[in-house]
Amino acid sequence: MEQDRATQMAEQDQRIKATLSKIKHKVVVMSGKGGVGKSTVTSNVAYGLSQRGYQVGILDADLHGPNIPVMFGGHGKHPQVTGKPYRVSENLAIVSLSFYAENVNDPAVWRGPAKIGVIRQLLADIDWGELDFLLVDLPPGTGDEPLTIAQTISDCDGCIIVTTPQEVALADTRKSIGFAGLLQMKILGVIENMSGFVCPHCGKTTDIFQSGGGEKTAKEYKLDFLGKIPLNPQIMMGGDNGTPQIGLSDDSPFWAIVDKVEKKIKNKED
């Protein structure tokens, strides 16, 4: 029995290896705290890269709260072709557990081994095809899902850490930085989300959750700061309506982040 399981794992490892060999760059989006906007960052950066002509995929590894399909208008839908990702556009495809649930509102009540198995299966048994970028949207924390991704995608280009400015989020951000260090995962940089609210009427900025904490933490750990994302109703509406905000505005702050991520990956290639 144990030998059969070992054989199955070895075969799955080979399928995962074959899948990852067709993907040039892998980027993980993570944070130590929930509700800071990881899925928003993932969807906007992925959409921006796809708009520049790259073939991009998103793995929604937040098994208990998969939000990526919602942000691309795919909530309650299924992939057009069995065994392939859900195709958002010619250049962008996504995979999420919610595509395979009978009812998208049913909770995934699973322990660690089941979650590890599902993540490996989504990498091994989905025909991702050839991609320039795979972005992995992780759940908060440093548990089973982040650990599985870090150990399975050993050639990851790096992670983007998302935080909000207040100390309660920054305390968990430091844990994510430590997690990446322990697993020898390169950190591409830190993003401060919900960094001030710009009034659409008077233009005045109000720091509802303070501001600058993410940038300060990045400097403290000698990490690159990728940028601030203000509170903006358009970002919320874009996520709910299935078109990320970066696709609605040439002035979106996400474009500067896409620039930096793209430059970092190109510098690594050189």
Side-chain angles (χ1 to χ4, degrees), residues 32 68 98 101 123 202 250:
I68 291 296
S98 72
L123 285 170
C202 69
D250 291 337

Side-chain angles (χ1 to χ4, degrees), residues 163-170 192-197 205-216 228-231:
T163 186
T164 51
Q166 69 269 45
E167 182 57 36
V168 69
L170 295 170
E192 182 176 298
N193 194 24
M194 305 181 196
S195 182
F197 170 72
T205 299
T206 303
D207 293 330
I208 297 175
F209 299 121
Q210 304 182 43
S211 182
E215 186 171 9
K216 181 181 177 182
K228 296 181 180 181
I229 306 297
L231 284 164

Side-chain angles (χ1 to χ4, degrees), residues 6-21:
T7 300
Q8 291 173 359
M9 289 289 288
E11 291 174 349
Q12 189 179 58
D13 283 339
Q14 289 301 313
R15 297 198 301 276
I16 292 173
K17 184 177 180 180
T19 294
L20 295 178
S21 70

Side-chain angles (χ1 to χ4, degrees), residues 5-143:
R5 176 166 175 74
T7 300
Q8 291 173 359
M9 289 289 288
E11 291 174 349
Q12 189 179 58
D13 283 339
Q14 289 301 313
R15 297 198 301 276
I16 292 173
K17 184 177 180 180
T19 294
L20 295 178
S21 70
K22 299 177 184 178
I23 302 171
K24 292 180 182 178
H25 303 293
K26 300 93 173 174
V27 176
V28 172
V29 181
M30 65 183 298
S31 81
K33 189 178 186 304
V36 299
K38 292 179 301 301
S39 297
T40 296
V41 167
T42 302
S43 58
N44 277 275
V45 172
Y47 191 90
L49 289 168
S50 75
Q51 289 293 292
R52 291 188 171 170
Y54 294 108
Q55 286 292 328
V56 183
I58 300 177
L59 171 60
D60 187 352
D62 190 346
L63 305 179
H64 294 288
N67 292 320
I68 291 296
V70 176
M71 295 185 170
F72 288 101
H75 189 59
K77 297 182 180 179
H78 300 280
Q80 295 90 331
V81 180
T82 302
K84 288 185 178 289
Y86 177 85
R87 182 62 57 181
V88 175
S89 68
E90 184 179 351
N91 290 356
L92 181 60
I94 58 178
V95 166
S96 174
L97 178 65
S98 72
F99 291 139
Y100 306 100
E102 290 187 14
N103 185 336
V104 293
N105 294 317
D106 287 343
V109 186
W110 292 339
R111 295 186 185 274
K115 295 190 285 185
I116 293 168
V118 166
I119 289 174
R120 286 174 56 86
Q121 189 172 356
L122 291 176
L123 285 170
D125 298 335
I126 298 295
D127 181 9
W128 288 88
E130 295 189 2
L131 296 176
D132 295 303
F133 288 92
L134 175 68
L135 276 71
V136 182
D137 183 35
L138 286 176
T142 56

